[in-house]
Amino acid sequence: MSTATRRSSLTDWTLLVPLVALVALVLSWGRDLAPLAVALVAVCLAGAVLAAVHHAEVVAHRVGEPFGSLVLAVAVTVIEVALIVTLMADGGPKASSLARDTVFAAVMITCNGIVGLSLLVGALHNRVAEFNAEGSGAALATVATLATLSLVLPTFTTSKPGPEFSTAQLAFAAVASLALYGLFIAVQTVRHRDYFLPVETEPRPGAHVGRNGPKGQNGPKDQNGQNGRDGQKGDGDGDGAGDGDDDHAAPPTARAALISLGLLMVALVAVVGDAKAVSPTIEKGVADAGLPNAVVGVIIALLVLLPETLAAVRAARRGRVQTSLNLGYGSAIASIGLTIPAIALASIWLSGPLLLGLGPVHMVLLALTVVVSALTIAPGRATLLQGGVHLVLLAAYLFLAVSP
């Protein structure tokens, strides 16, 4: 997206969609909706999600990497938490496992779906996808620890029957999640920021080249470890120009970033309200189809992570696989690190149990995902095979969610 397009987008669909979605929220609030009305509200909901992530991208482009990935991850997680709490408030007894199902779905989609697609696309475009093993390894370790503390331990604790934390245990999990999330953010953005910057490499033999010559050479690094203006990564035409406007375009103005921040807030409010309006239809549709209630959590996670998946794939196509991994693992960390404290607070006024512990099948999938991810991250480079392995793990999870 060019700078001109990015600025003009503030006056087209990205401005109108959040406002239309907000109007749909006002008109549908507290009413029983006909099927056509539900469909229209669902369209507004999907548009608001896309608009929210677009405006998060504008803000991210202003603040730079890795802050950009952080903005996107937090924006997506706020949407996810809002949807979870909204559906739990109206879902009755069946909503007791909704938080677990949605968070676990987000972990599987990010660690296998986003990561797998990014590695696949990166390897297709440069034979080998290269990234920073130190930063990605630290992110993976954080994901594994948060997932184990919040989703595995409740299955084995004995203070309360079933896969449920006691009040004290839930409070500890919430505080630990917030602490780990805060520590990760500090490491990513301050102390070891260079570990999370994209790795710029020379094209490998057999890598994609343009019609007029090989990719341009990388320029000298600046003091922050990023490429200088005089040697941007080539696009395959031999002129040394970048292959995507987002990589090297001038950031939006402070005014444009503030407008996008305001529209982001409007879009998030619309997402929460519209989700509340369509939530009975989602649950009824899953029940009528004879599917497990856990499919509701999968639908939520797929909905909120789809725009971020597209952003990660775009980054991988430009050779910025580290940015893609920042998006994937950052979303997983934010999903657990922010959702668990949020539902811990919400449990004060929400009635019914809060089931967080995973079953045996999901624990096996989680353990396999962590082991495979560690083997993928350790070398700092991956081929098509690693991407394919992660995508097969995601396919196994989705199939078992529908047919447990």
Short mmCIF file of all heavy atoms in Angstrom, two decimals, residues 214-254:
data_model
loop_
_atom_site.label_atom_id
_atom_site.label_comp_id
_atom_site.label_asym_id
_atom_site.label_seq_id
_atom_site.Cartn_x
_atom_site.Cartn_y
_atom_site.Cartn_z
N PRO A 214 19.16 -9.66 -10.68
CA PRO A 214 18.97 -10.16 -9.33
C PRO A 214 18.45 -9.09 -8.41
O PRO A 214 18.43 -7.91 -8.75
CB PRO A 214 20.40 -10.59 -8.91
CG PRO A 214 21.30 -9.70 -9.72
CD PRO A 214 20.59 -9.50 -11.03
N LYS A 215 18.05 -9.53 -7.24
CA LYS A 215 17.55 -8.59 -6.24
C LYS A 215 18.64 -7.59 -5.87
O LYS A 215 19.83 -7.90 -5.88
CB LYS A 215 17.09 -9.32 -4.97
CG LYS A 215 15.82 -10.12 -5.19
CD LYS A 215 15.35 -10.69 -3.86
CE LYS A 215 14.06 -11.45 -4.01
NZ LYS A 215 13.55 -11.98 -2.75
N GLY A 216 18.20 -6.40 -5.50
CA GLY A 216 19.14 -5.38 -5.08
C GLY A 216 19.82 -5.75 -3.78
O GLY A 216 19.34 -6.56 -3.01
N GLN A 217 20.93 -5.14 -3.57
CA GLN A 217 21.69 -5.45 -2.37
C GLN A 217 21.17 -4.66 -1.18
O GLN A 217 20.62 -3.58 -1.33
CB GLN A 217 23.17 -5.13 -2.60
CG GLN A 217 23.78 -5.93 -3.75
CD GLN A 217 23.75 -7.42 -3.49
OE1 GLN A 217 24.10 -7.84 -2.40
NE2 GLN A 217 23.34 -8.20 -4.47
N ASN A 218 21.41 -5.22 0.00
CA ASN A 218 21.00 -4.54 1.21
C ASN A 218 21.93 -3.38 1.50
O ASN A 218 23.14 -3.44 1.26
CB ASN A 218 21.03 -5.50 2.40
CG ASN A 218 19.99 -6.59 2.25
OD1 ASN A 218 18.98 -6.37 1.59
ND2 ASN A 218 20.24 -7.75 2.85
N GLY A 219 21.37 -2.34 2.05
CA GLY A 219 22.16 -1.18 2.39
C GLY A 219 22.82 -1.32 3.74
O GLY A 219 22.61 -2.28 4.46
N PRO A 220 23.62 -0.37 4.11
CA PRO A 220 24.28 -0.43 5.40
C PRO A 220 23.27 -0.31 6.53
O PRO A 220 22.23 0.31 6.38
CB PRO A 220 25.22 0.79 5.36
CG PRO A 220 24.58 1.72 4.37
CD PRO A 220 23.94 0.85 3.35
N LYS A 221 23.58 -0.92 7.63
CA LYS A 221 22.71 -0.86 8.80
C LYS A 221 22.86 0.48 9.50
O LYS A 221 23.94 1.05 9.57
CB LYS A 221 23.07 -1.97 9.80
CG LYS A 221 22.98 -3.38 9.21
CD LYS A 221 21.55 -3.83 9.11
CE LYS A 221 21.48 -5.28 8.65
NZ LYS A 221 20.13 -5.80 8.61
N ASP A 222 21.73 0.96 10.01
CA ASP A 222 21.81 2.17 10.82
C ASP A 222 22.06 1.78 12.26
O ASP A 222 22.24 0.61 12.59
CB ASP A 222 20.55 3.03 10.66
CG ASP A 222 19.29 2.32 11.13
OD1 ASP A 222 19.42 1.32 11.85
OD2 ASP A 222 18.20 2.80 10.76
N GLN A 223 22.01 2.73 13.15
CA GLN A 223 22.35 2.44 14.54
C GLN A 223 21.32 1.55 15.22
O GLN A 223 21.60 0.95 16.25
CB GLN A 223 22.49 3.75 15.33
CG GLN A 223 21.19 4.56 15.40
CD GLN A 223 21.38 5.85 16.15
OE1 GLN A 223 22.42 6.05 16.76
NE2 GLN A 223 20.40 6.71 16.12
N ASN A 224 20.14 1.42 14.67
CA ASN A 224 19.13 0.54 15.23
C ASN A 224 19.13 -0.83 14.58
O ASN A 224 18.28 -1.65 14.84
CB ASN A 224 17.72 1.15 15.07
CG ASN A 224 17.56 2.39 15.91
OD1 ASN A 224 18.11 2.45 17.02
ND2 ASN A 224 16.85 3.38 15.40
N GLY A 225 20.08 -1.10 13.71
CA GLY A 225 20.16 -2.39 13.07
C GLY A 225 19.29 -2.53 11.85
O GLY A 225 19.14 -3.61 11.31
N GLN A 226 18.69 -1.43 11.36
CA GLN A 226 17.82 -1.50 10.22
C GLN A 226 18.54 -0.99 8.98
O GLN A 226 19.51 -0.23 9.06
CB GLN A 226 16.55 -0.67 10.46
CG GLN A 226 15.73 -1.21 11.62
CD GLN A 226 14.56 -0.31 11.93
OE1 GLN A 226 14.71 0.91 11.94
NE2 GLN A 226 13.41 -0.89 12.19
N ASN A 227 18.04 -1.38 7.82
CA ASN A 227 18.70 -0.97 6.58
C ASN A 227 18.61 0.53 6.36
O ASN A 227 17.58 1.15 6.63
CB ASN A 227 18.04 -1.69 5.39
CG ASN A 227 18.52 -3.11 5.27
OD1 ASN A 227 19.51 -3.49 5.91
ND2 ASN A 227 17.83 -3.91 4.48
N GLY A 228 19.68 1.11 5.87
CA GLY A 228 19.66 2.52 5.55
C GLY A 228 18.86 2.78 4.29
O GLY A 228 18.55 1.89 3.52
N ARG A 229 18.57 4.03 4.02
CA ARG A 229 17.74 4.41 2.88
C ARG A 229 18.43 4.14 1.55
O ARG A 229 17.78 3.93 0.53
CB ARG A 229 17.37 5.89 2.97
CG ARG A 229 16.44 6.21 4.13
CD ARG A 229 16.12 7.69 4.13
NE ARG A 229 15.17 8.00 5.20
CZ ARG A 229 13.86 7.99 5.05
NH1 ARG A 229 13.34 7.65 3.89
NH2 ARG A 229 13.07 8.32 6.05
N ASP A 230 19.78 4.15 1.55
CA ASP A 230 20.48 4.09 0.27
C ASP A 230 20.62 2.68 -0.28
O ASP A 230 21.10 2.51 -1.38
CB ASP A 230 21.88 4.69 0.41
CG ASP A 230 21.80 6.17 0.74
OD1 ASP A 230 20.79 6.79 0.36
OD2 ASP A 230 22.74 6.69 1.36
N GLY A 231 20.21 1.68 0.46
CA GLY A 231 20.40 0.32 -0.03
C GLY A 231 19.24 -0.56 0.31
O GLY A 231 19.39 -1.58 0.94
N GLN A 232 18.06 -0.17 -0.05
CA GLN A 232 16.87 -0.92 0.31
C GLN A 232 16.88 -2.28 -0.38
O GLN A 232 17.43 -2.45 -1.46
CB GLN A 232 15.62 -0.14 -0.09
CG GLN A 232 15.52 1.18 0.66
CD GLN A 232 14.41 2.02 0.10
OE1 GLN A 232 13.87 1.74 -0.94
NE2 GLN A 232 14.08 3.08 0.80
N LYS A 233 16.19 -3.22 0.24
CA LYS A 233 16.12 -4.56 -0.31
C LYS A 233 15.48 -4.54 -1.69
O LYS A 233 14.49 -3.87 -1.90
CB LYS A 233 15.33 -5.46 0.63
CG LYS A 233 15.32 -6.91 0.18
CD LYS A 233 14.57 -7.75 1.18
CE LYS A 233 14.52 -9.20 0.73
NZ LYS A 233 13.79 -10.05 1.64
N GLY A 234 16.06 -5.29 -2.60
CA GLY A 234 15.59 -5.25 -3.98
C GLY A 234 14.29 -5.98 -4.20
O GLY A 234 13.89 -6.81 -3.40
N ASP A 235 13.67 -5.70 -5.31
CA ASP A 235 12.42 -6.34 -5.67
C ASP A 235 12.59 -7.26 -6.86
O ASP A 235 11.62 -7.77 -7.39
CB ASP A 235 11.33 -5.30 -5.98
CG ASP A 235 11.69 -4.41 -7.14
OD1 ASP A 235 12.77 -4.56 -7.73
OD2 ASP A 235 10.86 -3.55 -7.47
N GLY A 236 13.80 -7.53 -7.26
CA GLY A 236 14.04 -8.45 -8.34
C GLY A 236 14.19 -7.78 -9.68
O GLY A 236 14.36 -8.46 -10.69
N ASP A 237 14.13 -6.46 -9.77
CA ASP A 237 14.28 -5.81 -11.06
C ASP A 237 15.65 -5.18 -11.23
O ASP A 237 15.90 -4.46 -12.19
CB ASP A 237 13.18 -4.77 -11.28
CG ASP A 237 13.19 -3.68 -10.22
OD1 ASP A 237 14.12 -3.63 -9.41
OD2 ASP A 237 12.25 -2.88 -10.23
N GLY A 238 16.52 -5.44 -10.26
CA GLY A 238 17.90 -4.99 -10.41
C GLY A 238 18.12 -3.54 -10.09
O GLY A 238 19.22 -3.04 -10.25
N ASP A 239 17.09 -2.82 -9.63
CA ASP A 239 17.28 -1.41 -9.37
C ASP A 239 17.46 -1.10 -7.90
O ASP A 239 17.60 0.04 -7.52
CB ASP A 239 16.11 -0.59 -9.94
CG ASP A 239 14.79 -0.97 -9.30
OD1 ASP A 239 14.77 -1.83 -8.41
OD2 ASP A 239 13.78 -0.42 -9.73
N GLY A 240 17.42 -2.15 -7.06
CA GLY A 240 17.64 -1.94 -5.64
C GLY A 240 16.46 -1.41 -4.92
O GLY A 240 16.54 -1.10 -3.75
N ALA A 241 15.32 -1.25 -5.57
CA ALA A 241 14.13 -0.74 -4.91
C ALA A 241 13.46 -1.83 -4.13
O ALA A 241 13.57 -2.99 -4.43
CB ALA A 241 13.16 -0.16 -5.94
N GLY A 242 12.75 -1.45 -3.10
CA GLY A 242 12.04 -2.42 -2.28
C GLY A 242 10.90 -3.04 -3.04
O GLY A 242 10.38 -2.51 -3.99
N ASP A 243 10.46 -4.26 -2.59
CA ASP A 243 9.40 -4.95 -3.28
C ASP A 243 8.06 -4.68 -2.68
O ASP A 243 7.07 -5.24 -3.06
CB ASP A 243 9.66 -6.46 -3.29
CG ASP A 243 9.63 -7.06 -1.91
OD1 ASP A 243 9.61 -6.29 -0.94
OD2 ASP A 243 9.60 -8.29 -1.78
N GLY A 244 7.97 -3.80 -1.71
CA GLY A 244 6.68 -3.47 -1.14
C GLY A 244 6.72 -2.07 -0.59
O GLY A 244 7.69 -1.65 0.04
N ASP A 245 5.68 -1.31 -0.82
CA ASP A 245 5.68 0.09 -0.37
C ASP A 245 5.69 0.20 1.14
O ASP A 245 6.18 1.15 1.70
CB ASP A 245 4.44 0.80 -0.93
CG ASP A 245 4.52 0.95 -2.43
OD1 ASP A 245 5.65 1.08 -2.94
OD2 ASP A 245 3.46 0.93 -3.10
N ASP A 246 5.11 -0.82 1.81
CA ASP A 246 5.02 -0.74 3.26
C ASP A 246 6.39 -0.78 3.91
O ASP A 246 6.59 -0.24 5.00
CB ASP A 246 4.16 -1.89 3.80
CG ASP A 246 2.68 -1.68 3.58
OD1 ASP A 246 2.31 -0.52 3.32
OD2 ASP A 246 1.92 -2.64 3.65
N ASP A 247 7.35 -1.45 3.27
CA ASP A 247 8.64 -1.62 3.91
C ASP A 247 9.40 -0.30 4.05
O ASP A 247 10.07 -0.06 5.04
CB ASP A 247 9.50 -2.60 3.10
CG ASP A 247 8.95 -4.02 3.15
OD1 ASP A 247 8.12 -4.27 4.03
OD2 ASP A 247 9.35 -4.85 2.31
N HIS A 248 9.32 0.55 3.02
CA HIS A 248 10.19 1.72 2.98
C HIS A 248 9.44 3.02 2.81
O HIS A 248 10.06 4.07 2.70
CB HIS A 248 11.21 1.55 1.86
CG HIS A 248 12.05 0.30 2.00
ND1 HIS A 248 12.96 0.12 3.00
CD2 HIS A 248 12.08 -0.84 1.25
CE1 HIS A 248 13.53 -1.06 2.87
NE2 HIS A 248 13.01 -1.66 1.82
N ALA A 249 8.12 2.98 2.70
CA ALA A 249 7.35 4.21 2.55
C ALA A 249 7.48 5.05 3.80
O ALA A 249 7.67 4.55 4.90
CB ALA A 249 5.89 3.89 2.26
N ALA A 250 7.37 6.36 3.61
CA ALA A 250 7.42 7.26 4.76
C ALA A 250 6.25 6.98 5.69
O ALA A 250 5.14 6.70 5.23
CB ALA A 250 7.37 8.71 4.28
N PRO A 251 6.46 7.00 7.00
CA PRO A 251 5.36 6.72 7.93
C PRO A 251 4.28 7.79 7.84
O PRO A 251 4.54 8.93 7.42
CB PRO A 251 6.05 6.73 9.30
CG PRO A 251 7.28 7.55 9.10
CD PRO A 251 7.72 7.31 7.69
N PRO A 252 3.05 7.45 8.22
CA PRO A 252 1.98 8.45 8.20
C PRO A 252 2.28 9.57 9.19
O PRO A 252 3.08 9.40 10.12
CB PRO A 252 0.74 7.65 8.60
CG PRO A 252 1.28 6.47 9.35
CD PRO A 252 2.59 6.14 8.72
N THR A 253 1.63 10.70 8.99
CA THR A 253 1.83 11.83 9.89
C THR A 253 1.24 11.52 11.26
O THR A 253 0.45 10.58 11.42
CB THR A 253 1.15 13.08 9.32
OG1 THR A 253 -0.27 12.84 9.24
CG2 THR A 253 1.69 13.40 7.93
N ALA A 254 1.61 12.32 12.24
CA ALA A 254 1.07 12.13 13.58
C ALA A 254 -0.45 12.31 13.58
O ALA A 254 -1.17 11.60 14.29
CB ALA A 254 1.72 13.12 14.55
#
